[in-house]
Structures are given as C-alpha cells and as structure tokens.
Amino acid sequence: MKILTFGQTGQLAKALKRTKPNNIELTQLSRQQVDITQPQLIDEALEYYRPDIIINCAAFTDVERAENNRPQVLQTNVEAVKFMVNTASKLGIRFIQLSTDYVFDGNSSLPYSVNQKPTAINVYGQSKLLAEKVILQQQSNQYCIVRTSWLYHYSGKNFVTTMLKLMSQAQSNSHIISVVNDQTGSPTMVDDLAHFLWKLCLQKQWSAIYHWSDAGKCTWYEFALEIQSQALALGLIPATVSLIPVTSEQYNSCVKRPSFSVLDTKQSHSIVKPKPWKQQLAHSLNAYTLDKE
C-alpha cells in the first residue's frame, strides 16, 4: 500500500515514519517540496506519486499565532484541503483529514461524540471545522476525518517537552510554574495516534468521523503533575518544582480555549482500543531515557 503525507516535519508526520509497517510504502512531502497553497503543485505531486491514501498532516497549528493570522490559517488549513480533495477525487485516492478537539466549544460535561454538532471558539478550531466541511461535502466513504487531542511526544514542541524544559531549568523547589487547571481534555501520545491511523488505512470502508485519544482525562495542571512525578522517578529532572494551578483568565492568553474537550472514542475501539494516558506517558518518558543513553 502506498501512503502519502502532506507534511514531513510535524509531530504526527514523524510518528508515522517511526511506526510505519514494513508493507507500507510511505512518501512524505515537506513544505519545501510542495507548497500546498498552490493547486498545480498538489496536482503534479499526486499525479507523480499516485498513492492509495493521503494522510494530511500539514496544518497551521500554532493556536496563539492563528488568532492574528486568520487569512494565512484559512489558506493552509482550508483552501489547501480543498485543493487536495479535488485532485484526490479526480485520481480516486482515499483521503484522511486530521482534525482537533478544538472544533468544540467546551460547554459539554460529557465526552463529545462523533455525532455532536461542533462549534469552534477560536481561529484555529474554526479553520479545522471548515476543513471538516470540505471532507463531509464529498459524502463518500473514501474520505474521513480523525479528530484528536493534546498530542505529545518526548521530542519536538509540545506540552510534555515544554514542562520538562521548565522543570529542568528550575533552580530549586521554590521555583514556581503556573499551569491552567480549568481546561479538561485527553492527552494523546502521538505514536498511539499513528498506530491508529495505520490500522485505519487497512479498513475497506470508513465512517465519516473518528475520534482518537489515549484513555482517560485530566486538566493541564494534572497532566503537569503526572509529568513531574514520572520525570522525577526516571531522573529526567533534578528536583521537585512548585506547580501552581491557575485559571484560563490568569494565564493571560489571547486565545479562548474549550474548558472541556474530551472526545468519545468508543466508535474507534473496533479498530484499536486506546490505553490509559498515564501508562502511555510512562511509555514515552521511558523511551526518552533510553534515547538519551
């Protein structure tokens, strides 16, 4: 099977490369190779490589910067998806679009099902929701959307690596790190998402939307506490740091984020059953210690 990803350097693209099954021929195209805002370049790439499935890993994902760069965000996250889908449709290529828990407004107290109507409350979420509409308009089981949440790995730029860096730089336990405690979601180790996508590629028919995250839920503050606990046990940080829970308002961000964005993943369990997020964090941090040796 031939799989092509738009996007080569992001967390998910790297995870797909790390976890690639032996029977998969994987082509990953960087921004330098194909500017996805240029439809002709997308046409030429897909005509040349003729993959069986496209997994779109390319996106404008900086939630903070997105608020002040709406035209650029829409061009990358929406218009480019239209170009990809148009060419995929002409060539008979199946298409997987990655989306986000941020398509929801956070007003629920129960995990969001794939059938619930999304209402995004920030520019990034709105752009991903518009891209979802592009896919759903195809009304075809050859196209699907995979929503996920709180992606991390022990490398790259994400919440876990940011916390480890801040904790490592702390001079003593009097050092304070403030972490938001009124936003609840589900952490997802990115290799787990990659494994799910590889299994999804093998399905002969797709549902329109899938949800995927590791099992369980927490706030960012609770996530940080667990990172610290596990990192201390593994010797990844020198000492305990004072973690202080704060509200979203106290955090002083220009972005409104959903207060609750846990995804109901039950529909995906027939393909892969997710593992508890604490267990997968431990798996990732253990791999980090081995990688450092």
Side-chain angles (χ1 to χ4, degrees), residues 55-291:
I55 303 176
N56 182 27
C57 301
F60 191 116
T61 58
D62 188 324
V63 181
E64 296 277 342
R65 281 185 57 228
E67 288 299 301
N68 298 314
N69 291 276
R70 187 180 181 90
Q72 185 182 347
V73 175
L74 294 179
Q75 188 176 43
T76 302
N77 291 357
V78 185
E79 295 305 314
V81 174
K82 290 180 183 177
F83 302 149
M84 293 174 196
V85 166
N86 287 341
T87 305
S89 179
K90 285 188 292 185
L91 299 178
I93 301 169
R94 302 175 82 193
F95 191 95
I96 299 174
Q97 169 67 12
L98 270 297
S99 195
T100 171
D101 57 326
Y102 277 24
V103 298
F104 294 109
D105 59 16
N107 291 332
S108 177
S109 58
L110 297 172
Y112 285 97
S113 77
V114 296
N115 298 317
Q116 278 179 266
K117 185 179 179 181
T119 307
I121 56 175
N122 56 49
V123 170
Y124 170 68
Q126 289 160 2
S127 72
K128 298 300 278 187
L129 184 53
L130 287 170
E132 287 190 5
K133 291 178 180 177
V134 172
I135 303 299
L136 295 174
Q137 283 169 359
Q138 299 302 307
Q139 297 183 323
S140 168
N141 60 19
Q142 300 296 295
Y143 300 78
C144 73
I145 295 157
V146 177
R147 295 179 183 140
T148 191
S149 61
W150 295 22
L151 286 182
Y152 73 88
H153 186 253
Y154 66 74
S155 62
K157 185 180 179 182
N158 56 71
F159 185 76
V160 170
T161 56
T162 298
M163 285 296 110
L164 288 175
K165 183 177 180 182
L166 290 173
M167 292 170 186
S168 296
Q169 291 173 342
Q171 298 300 310
S172 67
N173 61 6
S174 62
H175 190 91
I176 293 173
I177 299 173
S178 298
V179 189
V180 170
N181 196 35
D182 59 359
Q183 295 172 23
T184 299
S186 298
T188 306
M189 205 262 280
V190 71
D191 285 12
D192 292 336
L193 173 60
H195 285 301
F196 172 75
L197 290 172
W198 289 129
K199 293 289 187 182
L200 186 62
C201 287
L202 298 176
Q203 305 297 305
K204 291 184 178 178
Q205 290 193 334
W206 291 333
S207 298
I209 302 172
Y210 294 91
H211 285 173
W212 180 262
S213 69
D214 289 334
K217 63 183 180 179
C218 61
T219 66
W220 290 111
Y221 173 69
E222 291 166 339
F223 193 11
L225 285 174
E226 186 64 23
I227 293 166
Q228 175 165 255
S229 175
Q230 293 194 21
L232 277 169
L234 291 169
L236 293 174
I237 56 175
T240 302
V241 179
S242 294
L243 298 173
I244 305 299
V246 297
T247 65
S248 299
E249 287 186 2
Q250 289 172 308
Y251 184 65
N252 192 29
S253 169
C254 66
V255 184
K256 189 176 182 182
R257 292 172 169 83
S259 59
F260 183 90
S261 61
V262 179
L263 301 173
D264 182 342
T265 62
K266 289 190 187 74
Q267 185 183 358
S268 301
H269 293 186
S270 61
I271 300 172
V272 184
K273 285 193 176 180
K275 296 171 183 174
W277 70 265
K278 289 184 181 180
Q279 176 184 318
Q280 295 311 92
L281 175 63
H283 179 78
S284 184
L285 294 182
N286 274 288
Y288 182 35
T289 61
L290 293 173
D291 204 26

Side-chain angles (χ1 to χ4, degrees), residues 2-4 45-47 49-54 92-94:
K2 296 167 68 175
I3 308 293
L4 181 143
L46 295 181
E47 284 275 7
Y49 289 106
R50 291 283 179 143
D52 298 299
I53 299 173
I54 297 165
I93 301 169
R94 302 175 82 193

